[in-house]
Amino acid sequence: MVLLHVKRGDESQFLLQAPGSTELEELTVQVARVYNGRLKVQRLCSAPNEKMKQVLKKTIEEAKAIISKKQVEAGVCVTMEMVKDALDQLRGAVMIVYPMGLPPYDPIRMEFENKEDLSGTQAGLNIIKEAEAQLWWAAKELRRTKKLSDYVGKNEKTKIIAKIQQRGQGAPAREPIISSEEQKQLMLYYHRRQEELKRLEENDDDAYLNSPWADNTALKRHFHGVKDIKWRPR
């Protein structure tokens, strides 16, 4: 299974696995659905009023954890089944709080029924339509008419960073040669190395000053025939 680290821009979103033989048409739609599904869970978790948030607090935290970007750091792949599970947990909790149901135009009910109107909102701009979604890797668009293996080869243990975006937005920015974390580690290494060299230089200076040939009175004692006199008490 090829491991895809899905990003939008430079921001990590989730991990997803797919066989190299997967058709990119299918894979692109799958990535877009998971991406948009996570956005729906996030909107539902932020939509309840304060009273509902207190009652649904535990369920909201659990749902957020399922689709959290921290799953990338934990090495956990997110599937559409996991997104649906988070939505079902939220739907069940809302039914307990409102057993008679929500009003037809309540934003939470509309989200569950996929009737939400996000026109003119930032949330609406974040959504990527499945038909217009594109995946990019290594500055190349992964064209839907091909298979994943056409780009990444036959190695099923390959890991790639795939960027999702809307068609017409052009090529996304290329990944840096080293990550920000690797850059921090590199800078820390060089800082420690400089400190180590500085200590060695200071130690060398001390060794120089303590050496006999660095003694500025040694030459004078030599010409007077006085060398290494050690005074001892009688």
Side-chain angles (χ1 to χ4, degrees):
M1 300 285 276
V2 177
L3 181 64
L4 286 80
H5 177 179
V6 179
K7 289 187 174 184
R8 186 170 191 188
D10 293 327
E11 193 172 352
S12 292
Q13 300 295 324
F14 55 91
L15 298 178
L16 184 142
Q17 284 184 318
S21 58
T22 304
E23 298 285 346
L24 281 165
E25 173 70 29
E26 176 189 344
L27 180 60
T28 304
V29 171
Q30 182 184 358
V31 172
R33 283 179 181 170
V34 173
Y35 174 81
N36 290 329
R38 290 174 65 255
L39 292 178
K40 180 181 283 290
V41 173
Q42 291 168 1
R43 291 195 302 272
L44 282 165
C45 288
S46 60
N49 57 41
E50 288 303 316
K51 182 179 179 181
M52 282 181 67
K53 281 183 179 179
Q54 291 303 316
V55 178
L56 303 175
K57 184 177 179 181
K58 184 179 179 182
T59 306
I60 288 174
E61 289 176 353
E62 291 174 351
K64 281 183 174 180
I66 291 173
I67 54 96
S68 172
K69 294 175 182 178
K70 292 182 179 179
Q71 297 280 46
V72 173
E73 300 170 13
V76 176
C77 293
V78 177
T79 64
M80 197 59 209
E81 286 70 27
M82 293 169 67
V83 174
K84 288 178 179 177
D85 182 45
L87 290 171
D88 288 342
Q89 287 185 30
L90 291 168
R91 185 181 289 106
V94 170
M95 289 178 66
I96 292 172
V97 177
Y98 294 94
M100 301 300 292
L102 291 166
Y105 296 103
D106 185 276
I108 294 178
R109 177 172 174 174
M110 294 179 74
E111 284 280 5
F112 284 132
E113 295 177 352
N114 295 321
K115 297 177 181 177
E116 66 273 17
D117 181 11
L118 302 176
S119 56
T121 66
Q122 183 59 46
L125 294 175
N126 290 335
I127 293 175
I128 296 177
K129 296 178 181 177
E130 292 178 13
E132 298 179 11
Q134 289 180 327
L135 291 180
W136 290 74
W137 170 64
K140 296 178 183 177
E141 180 189 350
L142 305 185
R143 298 192 177 277
R144 292 188 178 215
T145 54
K146 296 190 175 184
K147 295 182 179 181
L148 183 58
S149 58
D150 292 334
Y151 292 93
V152 303
K154 303 293 184 181
N155 186 355
E156 291 290 332
K157 294 184 179 179
T158 301
K159 178 181 178 181
I160 67 171
I161 293 177
K163 294 194 173 184
I164 184 172
Q165 64 179 35
Q166 193 97 354
R167 182 183 297 129
Q169 294 180 338
R174 297 193 67 162
E175 283 292 296
I177 297 175
I178 59 174
S179 67
S180 57
E181 183 60 32
E182 289 171 333
Q183 189 175 19
K184 288 178 185 177
Q185 293 298 326
L186 195 60
M187 291 177 68
L188 182 60
Y189 167 79
Y190 280 118
H191 175 72
R192 288 174 176 169
R193 181 63 178 158
Q194 286 177 338
E195 291 295 316
E196 183 181 348
L197 291 173
K198 185 178 178 181
R199 283 198 303 272
L200 289 172
E201 188 177 334
E202 290 173 351
N203 291 339
D204 286 346
D205 288 343
D206 291 341
Y208 167 83
L209 294 173
N210 292 331
S211 63
W213 48 268
D215 186 355
N216 56 10
T217 65
L219 184 61
K220 182 178 180 180
R221 292 203 308 272
H222 174 76
F223 281 112
H224 285 81
V226 179
K227 291 197 301 182
D228 299 330
I229 297 176
K230 296 181 180 178
W231 299 96
R232 294 179 181 175
R234 294 182 179 179

